């Protein structure tokens, strides 16, 4: 019997009504429709100080970084929907990645939540470029964290007009792009499943 993959979905912005949040909504529904078990979280529920090695030496890793790391470890794959800030990764998302990437051990065991974890990427913006500069930067960062970044991606341009009243994409090609991304993420997550129950 095939493993039902567990996918963790979150947006790179915690702002109410953010395009990235609406894109994550579409992804969440599509993943569930394709048979994944989906967990949706908000990075706003894991507040973290700015990454600071002096702070880490003094106080250790923040508890919310460890909690987020455990959430990631308990899933077979991730889907991140990111906005673009000044042509790059939003600080909320980058800071969360930086902190979780610092986790090396939990108790006596090696614990690296990001390493080897499949991840699919979406981006969105109100303009024509659809956050593609950000998604390229994010891909490079996650590869550096030894994550398995899948090739298909979904980038939403002119996002103010991209969503229908039911929350789905208006454009059929965009919907096909999301379908392909989710299908590949599910297949890769099933193949590479190494989740650690939280």
């Amino acid at each position: 019997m095939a493993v039902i993959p567990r996918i963790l979905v979150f947006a790179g912005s915690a702002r109410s009504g953010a395009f990235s949040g609406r894109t994550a909504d579409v992804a969440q529904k599509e993943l569930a429709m394709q048979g994944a078990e989906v967990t949706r979280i908000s990075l706003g529920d894991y507040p973290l100080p700015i990454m600071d090695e002096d702070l880490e030496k003094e106080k250790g890793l923040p508890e919310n970084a460890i909690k987020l790391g455990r959430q990631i470890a308990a899933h077979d794959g991730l889907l991140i929907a990111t906005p673009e800030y000044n042509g790059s990764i939003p600080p909320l998302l980058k800071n969360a990645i930086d902190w979780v990437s610092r986790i090396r051990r939990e108790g006596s065991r090696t614990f690296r939540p990001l390493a080897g974890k499949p991840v699919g990427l979406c981006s969105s913006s109100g303009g024509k470029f659809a956050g593609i500069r950000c998604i390229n930067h994010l891909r490079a960062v996650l590869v550096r964290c030894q994550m398995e970044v899948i090739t298909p991606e979904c980038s939403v341009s002119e996002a103010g007009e991209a969503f229908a009243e039911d929350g789905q994409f208006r454009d059929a090609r965009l919907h096909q792009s999301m379908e392909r991304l989710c299908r590949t993420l599910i297949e890769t997550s099933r193949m590479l499943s190494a989740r650690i129950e939280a």
Side-chain angles (χ1 to χ4, degrees), residues 44-65:
D45 293 332
Y46 299 84
L48 290 163
I50 297 295
M51 171 62 208
D52 180 342
E53 288 189 43
D54 287 340
L55 181 66
E56 184 184 353
K57 282 178 189 169
E58 183 186 337
K59 298 186 175 179
L61 287 165
E63 184 59 29
N64 278 335

Side-chain angles (χ1 to χ4, degrees), residues 62-140:
E63 184 59 29
N64 278 335
I66 294 166
K67 284 180 182 174
L68 183 56
R70 285 180 187 143
Q71 272 278 28
I72 292 167
H75 289 78
D76 301 305
L78 274 68
L79 188 141
I80 303 172
T82 184
E84 181 175 284
Y85 285 21
N86 293 320
S88 192
I89 306 168
L92 176 70
L93 177 57
K94 182 63 164 61
N95 195 52
I97 293 165
D98 288 344
W99 272 121
V100 173
S101 74
R102 304 289 296 177
I103 301 171
R104 295 287 186 272
R105 302 194 70 75
E106 186 170 54
S108 60
R109 70 183 172 101
T110 300
F111 182 52
R112 300 187 66 195
L114 302 181
K117 191 69 66 174
V119 56
L121 303 180
C122 301
S123 64
S124 56
S125 77
K128 292 181 187 289
F129 293 112
I132 56 172
R133 292 167 297 190
C134 169
I135 212 171
N136 288 333
H137 292 181
L138 181 57
R139 182 179 291 275

Side-chain angles (χ1 to χ4, degrees), residues 7-10 27 31 77-81 119-120 122 178 181-182 185:
I7 308 293
L8 185 66
V9 176
F10 58 86
L31 285 162
L78 274 68
L79 188 141
I80 303 172
V119 56
C122 301
M178 182 64 83
L181 164 63
C182 292
L185 179 58

Side-chain angles (χ1 to χ4, degrees), residues 26-42:
V26 177
Q28 180 180 352
K29 288 174 188 168
E30 183 60 36
L31 285 162
M33 210 163 70
Q34 292 193 28
E37 182 184 327
V38 185
T39 306
R40 177 70 177 275
I41 62 169
S42 169

